[in-house]
Amino acid sequence: DSGVTQTPKHLITATGQRVTLRCSPRSGDLSVYWYQQSLDQGLQFLIQYYNGEERAKGNILERFSAQQFPDLHSELNLSSLELGDSALYFCASSGVTSGPRVGTGELFFGEGSRLTVL
Amino acid sequence: QQPVQSPQAVILREGEDAVINCSSSKALYSVHWYRQKHGEAPIFLMILLKGGEQKGHDKISASFNEKKQQSSLYLTASQLSYSGTYFCGTERRNYGQNFVFGPGTRLSVLP
């Protein structure tokens, strides 16, 4: 158990619809990342939040949006869904490394939300 | 910018060794390595923070050459459980803390 909770685990919806994916990070982690993984593909970085603020943006479509709330949970909103949006969406959280060089700590991944758009 | 990984795929017999490489055209601050089994979440293997740093546990180790902007993951005496897709994740400083993964290397260990 990574300590990161994602809901829902599975979601089936139709084209044109809107869905919200939710992520609760590991206790104490301030950073939340969202990744999209299409079938047998790599992990495409979508967006990162740190303590409620957007820190970095990747290849996130304009139809997608995200936010991190004061309690640090995060939501990824996907709208006007297309067939190509079908994928596994991972949320990960991290702290920072200790020692003289501070960097992104180990990423703890949730089990993912599998979205199927029909 | 996404790092490059090589090879894309490798097939081994149990007990054989493998090396997976990860490189970037931009300066790297740190490199992470993760393994993902099909349909599961990626699992952390190790972080390398300093140029020249080498880490390892069990029969899996890695090195980080900061000057060459590359890292290598070494798997020795491979076991069936090593099968999966290996991703390197790279962090660049002064780039908004952007953390991105390489495209992955699919490793299959056969009995």
Side-chain angles (χ1 to χ4, degrees):
Chain A
D1 182 6
S2 67
V4 178
T5 303
Q6 284 189 251
T7 57
K9 284 188 169 46
H10 300 276
L11 193 56
I12 301 174
T13 189
T15 54
Q17 294 298 304
R18 173 190 170 95
V19 299
T20 297
L21 310 180
R22 182 187 168 102
C23 170
S24 293
R26 205 172 61 112
S27 177
D29 285 351
L30 300 180
S31 282
V32 170
Y33 307 76
W34 286 98
Y35 293 91
Q36 178 193 54
Q37 188 172 43
S38 300
L39 189 61
D40 291 332
Q41 298 298 309
L43 295 155
Q44 295 302 313
F45 171 67
L46 296 178
I47 198 164
Q48 179 200 355
Y49 282 87
Y50 179 82
N51 202 20
E53 295 197 0
E54 182 183 303
R55 178 62 68 96
K57 225 171 188 177
N59 298 323
I60 187 167
L61 299 172
E62 284 191 13
R63 300 183 285 107
F64 296 0
S65 64
Q67 54 184 324
Q68 187 180 28
F69 295 87
D71 67 352
L72 300 179
H73 90 271
S74 178
E75 292 181 356
L76 179 67
N77 301 296
L78 315 174
S79 61
S80 302
L81 286 168
E82 302 175 359
L83 295 178
D85 297 328
S86 294
L88 194 51
Y89 290 84
F90 284 109
C91 164
S93 73
S94 76
V96 295
T97 56
S98 57
R101 205 183 220 199
V102 177
T104 298
E106 172 184 349
L107 265 66
F108 292 87
F109 284 82
E111 292 184 350
S113 292
R114 184 172 295 281
L115 173 66
T116 303
V117 182
L118 301 176
Chain B
Q1 187 169 1
Q2 188 180 45
V4 175
Q5 283 186 237
S6 63
Q8 285 186 317
V10 59
I11 300 175
L12 301 173
R13 293 283 181 188
E14 262 188 299
E16 292 182 337
D17 302 340
V19 180
I20 300 171
N21 300 302
C22 174
S23 64
S24 173
S25 60
K26 305 290 184 182
L28 298 178
Y29 187 77
S30 71
V31 178
H32 294 210
W33 286 96
Y34 294 79
R35 176 172 62 212
Q36 183 182 32
K37 303 275 187 181
H38 185 68
E40 299 179 6
I43 299 296
F44 170 78
L45 294 175
M46 62 192 79
I47 295 175
L48 299 111
L49 278 168
K50 296 185 298 185
E53 183 172 33
Q54 295 192 38
K55 277 191 173 179
H57 57 85
D58 199 7
K59 296 185 175 67
I60 300 177
S61 61
S63 64
F64 177 25
N65 187 323
E66 198 169 3
K67 286 184 180 177
K68 291 187 177 180
Q69 295 154 196
Q70 58 188 217
S71 175
S72 294
L73 184 72
Y74 307 94
L75 301 105
T76 58
S78 57
Q79 306 167 17
L80 295 177
S81 62
Y82 287 4
S83 292
T85 301
Y86 289 78
F87 294 98
C88 67
T90 57
E91 179 179 20
R92 293 170 54 199
R93 226 38 175 177
N94 300 321
Y95 198 69
Q97 295 281 319
N98 197 338
F99 189 88
V100 292
F101 286 95
T105 295
R106 184 169 295 186
L107 177 75
S108 301
V109 181
L110 305 178

